[in-house]
Amino acid sequence: MTDRAPPEPRPGVDVRRHAPATLRNREPILDVLRAVLPKQGRVLEVASGSGEHAVHFARALPGLDWQPSDPDRDACASIAAWREAEPCPNLHAPFELDAASPADWPVAKAEALVCINMVHISPWEATLGLFAGAQRVLEEGAPVVLYGPYRRGDRVLEPSNAAFDLDLKRRDPRWGLREVEAVRAEALARGFVLEREVEMPANNLCLVFRKQLKPDPA
């Protein structure tokens, strides 16, 4: 658990980051979230990045308490600045969270977890940590929603995704597009089943996992 206070926007300095893809993908992602998230409760967003998604989703889903997070302090500052610029009562201040770290997360319980564009731009340990953390903080039946580009063993990788994968690996050999089956297997090992696989624009996917219900005792 972190003891660092959420970053506060600096007066006179706009530290908001802008991710151009956000404007293109936020509505298709929102359609999936509306279909799979609970109507009320806390949603933990892991790797919130610029914070633009958090603002948009919190405003569109007023019944949910949206908790953004990111391992990067500058990203948290951007999220805090977006939150100040576009106030939304159900959007909470961000906190630092590194999914790859074995440390306990700064939240004990959530009703859902959302993670956008992290799995391919992080070491595999971050995905392992994501499901380990989700196992700790989510109740049975709660969803985990992942968004991004993936490899699928039964399909040839799209040219745009193949080029993206090469670029990611040039930037960091630990990065790259993951096999859906590898992510599914890790999720299952932590008690999550792949409920649906949603085709998204620009050769992306939404993977929706659900924490398994324990069988009733005989």
Side-chain angles (χ1 to χ4, degrees):
M1 188 165 183
T2 183
D3 57 0
R4 300 181 71 176
E8 296 183 1
R10 289 172 286 174
V13 178
D14 189 353
V15 298
R16 287 178 296 173
R17 294 178 173 181
H18 299 268
T22 301
L23 290 176
R24 300 193 297 269
N25 63 34
R26 65 185 188 180
E27 291 302 328
I29 296 173
L30 180 59
D31 288 342
V32 175
L33 297 182
R34 282 196 171 109
V36 303
L37 293 185
K39 300 302 181 185
Q40 295 181 320
R42 173 185 286 184
V43 177
L44 173 61
E45 184 184 6
V46 176
S48 300
S50 68
E52 294 165 283
H53 278 130
V55 170
H56 186 70
F57 297 154
R59 181 174 291 109
L61 302 167
L64 295 170
D65 290 322
W66 202 271
Q67 176 60 66
S69 71
D70 201 273
D72 181 69
R73 191 160 178 80
D74 288 340
C76 286
S78 175
I79 299 164
W82 276 108
R83 180 172 176 263
E84 182 180 65
E86 301 187 23
C88 189
N90 60 319
L91 178 60
H92 294 269
F95 53 62
E96 292 181 55
L97 187 157
D98 182 355
S101 171
D104 287 341
W105 288 1
V107 58
K109 182 178 180 294
E111 279 64 51
L113 187 150
V114 173
C115 183
I116 297 169
N117 285 332
M118 182 203 80
V119 172
H120 58 288
I121 315 180
S122 62
W124 179 238
E125 287 74 17
T127 300
L128 303 183
L130 178 79
F131 283 106
Q135 185 181 38
R136 294 193 301 269
V137 305
L138 296 182
E139 298 290 336
E140 295 171 1
V144 171
V145 183
L146 307 183
Y147 169 87
Y150 290 88
R151 293 177 175 272
R152 286 180 280 187
D154 60 340
R155 300 193 187 189
V156 176
L157 192 61
E158 303 86 355
S160 60
N161 277 346
F164 185 37
D165 184 51
L166 287 174
D167 179 63
L168 289 171
K169 289 174 178 175
R170 279 194 294 265
R171 292 162 59 188
D172 190 322
R174 302 173 300 167
W175 296 359
L177 274 63
R178 313 298 182 187
E179 290 279 358
V180 169
E181 181 57 29
V183 178
R184 188 201 67 80
E186 176 56 30
L188 189 59
R190 290 291 184 174
F192 292 85
V193 294
L194 181 58
E195 181 179 83
R196 65 181 78 177
E197 188 176 310
V198 185
E199 299 278 353
M200 304 294 281
N203 299 319
N204 289 293
L205 292 174
C206 263
L207 304 180
V208 180
F209 298 88
R210 188 79 59 174
K211 192 170 184 181
Q212 290 178 301
L213 297 174
K214 293 180 181 178
D216 292 331

